[in-house]
Amino acid sequence: MGKRVAKEVSIAVADAVAQCKVDVVSAYPITPQTHIVEHLADLVNNGELDAEYIPVESEHAAMSACIGAAATGARTFTSTAAQGLLFMYEMLPIASAFRLPIVMVIANRAISAPISIWNDHGDVMTMRDLGWIQTFAENGQEAVDLVYHAYRVAEKAMLPVAVNLDGFIVTHVVEPVELLDQELVDKYIPPLKMKHKLDPKKPITIGAIGVPEIYTEARKAQDEAFKASYKVVVKAWQEFEKISGRRYQPIETYKMEDAEVALVIMGSLAETAMNTVDALREKGKKVGLIRIRLWRPFPTQDFIKALGKVKAITVFDRALSHGATGGPVGIEVRSALYQSNKRPKVLNLIGALGGRDVTTEDFEELFDRTFSFIKAKPRFAYEIFGAKE
């Protein structure tokens, strides 16, 4: 086991990336991702990490460089946030369609306008359908562990993985974090050996034109590989538990055994929500929490199983989907339940946009409203929580 030390989470994440022995780091600094790539640049400059660090002129170039390097069989890393993620947008579906095992950390941040450097999930939700496996961390330890997991999954499934950390709330906090011993990392993430890669000695073509006669089949093959990655994700977490003792699952629950209502959430706010659950449990209220760790591929069956016997849930989104029937997570949940015989009432609230605080008192109010919603008429509308009128 590794040594438990206090570190800024961004620094710990960069150290974990270095332990994975990446060959190429390519990034353009953007708040609040900056400390991750700055520390990696220091490690390369100091000779502590044997890798090429490519300081590009934009995020589009950062992902382009990762794609080119990964196609030759190099282990790659990049990191971004908000407008930076949007700037690399053209290249994101190419990385997944090429089946390249790129790992990217997204320090989640609100997208402009108005300009905001603070956290919500508006940036990552724009790439939910681009064929990237996506996980969410609640705290620093999980951020580090999900980086290890990302390389294991990416190189087994041959698909890119995005690890999401809430900007500032997770990235800039100093926490006790345990990095794995290098020996364990080497065992968990062996050297990358790609079956198909660009090699002058064995020329192949990657990214040729997809005429109408083959385009549909190519996308179907990609989709089948993506859905099959669920088993890879789960197995990688099981293997990680054996070497670290830390257990992760696609859907995680908190005090759901006899819960009548539950809150569904992703990311760091889950820790505040757990404190609320504890406080309400002491008052005799049967409340629980469902945390979505794996966002893509969405673990539908795990989610339905996690519901237990709840009568109503509140899905707390941290991103808008303008003109839709709810937030991105709320829409996903309602769609999953429509195919199931288990259909609790679903209240969809959108909040914590642009870094606005959500307190335990706010979550107490949400649980009270969820109890009231048990006997309310179902509705597909959503509400923006905490907006000043």
Side-chain angles (χ1 to χ4, degrees):
M1 299 295 291
K3 184 178 179 182
R4 192 173 172 84
V5 296
K7 280 195 177 190
E8 181 186 311
V9 173
S10 289
I11 304 302
V13 164
D15 285 338
V17 171
Q19 282 189 296
C20 295
K21 297 181 177 177
V22 295
D23 300 303
V24 174
V25 177
S26 179
Y28 186 84
I30 179 173
T31 301
Q33 152 265 42
T34 319
H35 290 185
I36 298 173
V37 295
E38 281 182 346
H39 188 58
L40 282 167
D42 285 342
L43 294 176
V44 173
N45 182 62
N46 297 339
E48 299 172 69
L49 172 61
D50 182 16
E52 289 292 331
Y53 188 97
I54 307 175
V56 290
E57 80 283 4
S58 74
E59 287 83 355
H60 185 283
M63 184 51 63
S64 299
C66 283
I67 289 172
T72 69
R75 182 171 285 162
T76 59
F77 176 80
T78 190
S79 183
T80 191
Q83 246 61 23
L85 181 66
L86 305 190
F87 203 4
M88 65 169 59
Y89 213 78
E90 182 183 357
M91 306 312 295
L92 293 174
I94 293 176
S96 55
F98 281 7
R99 306 283 309 275
L100 298 174
I102 297 166
V103 171
M104 172 166 62
V105 167
I106 304 175
N108 299 123
R109 166 184 151 183
I111 54 176
S112 302
I115 296 172
S116 171
I117 62 169
W118 293 278
N119 166 250
D120 67 31
H121 295 165
D123 53 1
V124 68
M125 288 302 160
T126 65
M127 64 174 288
R128 64 179 178 172
D129 301 326
L130 297 184
W132 281 63
I133 296 168
Q134 296 179 46
T135 57
F136 275 79
E138 285 178 21
N139 53 44
Q141 185 64 65
E142 294 184 8
V144 166
D145 292 346
L146 290 181
V147 167
Y148 299 133
H149 175 261
Y151 279 103
R152 178 78 175 184
V153 169
E155 295 173 9
K156 290 285 184 182
M158 292 306 296
L159 287 166
V161 179
V163 179
N164 291 279
L165 323 181
D166 286 341
F168 294 113
I169 300 170
V170 174
T171 57
H172 284 56
V173 173
V174 176
E175 290 186 13
V177 174
E178 181 184 295
L179 293 162
L180 292 178
D181 287 336
Q182 187 62 52
E183 181 182 354
L184 291 176
V185 178
D186 292 343
K187 182 179 179 182
Y188 189 60
I189 309 168
L192 173 60
K193 295 180 180 178
M194 287 172 54
K195 185 177 181 180
H196 304 292
K197 62 181 181 180
L198 295 178
D199 184 347
K201 297 178 181 177
K202 297 180 180 179
I204 61 171
T205 297
I206 296 178
I209 189 169
V211 295
E213 286 74 16
I214 61 112
Y215 184 84
T216 298
E217 287 71 23
R219 299 312 298 263
K220 183 173 184 290
Q222 181 187 352
D223 189 56
E224 289 177 350
F226 192 75
K227 287 186 286 190
S229 71
Y230 167 84
K231 291 183 179 179
V232 179
V233 170
V234 172
K235 185 177 181 183
W237 270 326
Q238 292 170 344
E239 293 165 338
F240 186 78
E241 183 181 5
K242 292 177 183 175
I243 63 171
S244 69
R246 296 189 285 273
R247 186 182 188 190
Y248 296 100
Q249 299 179 87
I251 299 291
E252 297 179 2
T253 59
Y254 188 66
K255 300 192 176 179
M256 284 294 295
E257 293 77 14
D258 60 346
E260 294 180 353
V261 302
L263 186 64
V264 179
I265 206 163
M266 296 197 302
S268 61
L269 277 181
E271 296 202 333
T272 307
M274 279 190 281
N275 290 331
T276 309
V277 169
D278 290 341
L280 293 178
R281 281 280 174 176
E282 289 181 1
K283 297 178 182 177
K285 295 186 177 181
K286 295 181 178 180
V287 299
L289 183 67
I290 298 174
R291 296 167 289 167
I292 300 175
R293 171 87 57 240
L294 177 64
W295 171 232
R296 282 291 186 274
F298 188 75
T300 303
Q301 296 304 321
D302 299 76
F303 180 81
I304 292 172
K305 183 179 179 182
L307 290 170
K309 298 180 179 179
V310 294
K311 300 172 182 175
I313 60 175
T314 288
V315 180
F316 193 79
D317 262 290
R318 299 173 71 183
L320 272 164
S321 181
H322 296 290
T325 55
V329 183
I331 294 170
E332 193 81 28
V333 166
R334 284 180 176 136
S335 176
L337 295 181
Y338 191 80
Q339 308 298 326
S340 170
N341 292 326
K342 191 184 294 185
R343 294 183 191 172
K345 299 280 184 63
V346 178
L347 181 62
N348 188 194
L349 299 179
I350 297 169
L353 299 180
R356 181 166 296 182
D357 283 342
V358 179
T359 64
T360 54
E361 290 76 16
D362 291 326
F363 281 131
E364 283 193 28
E365 178 187 337
L366 293 188
F367 277 116
D368 286 342
R369 290 184 61 178
T370 313
F371 275 114
S372 301
F373 200 63
I374 291 175
K375 296 182 179 178
K377 290 183 178 180
R379 63 175 189 265
F380 281 96
Y382 60 88
E383 174 186 323
I384 299 179
F385 180 75
K388 300 168 186 171
E389 302 295 341

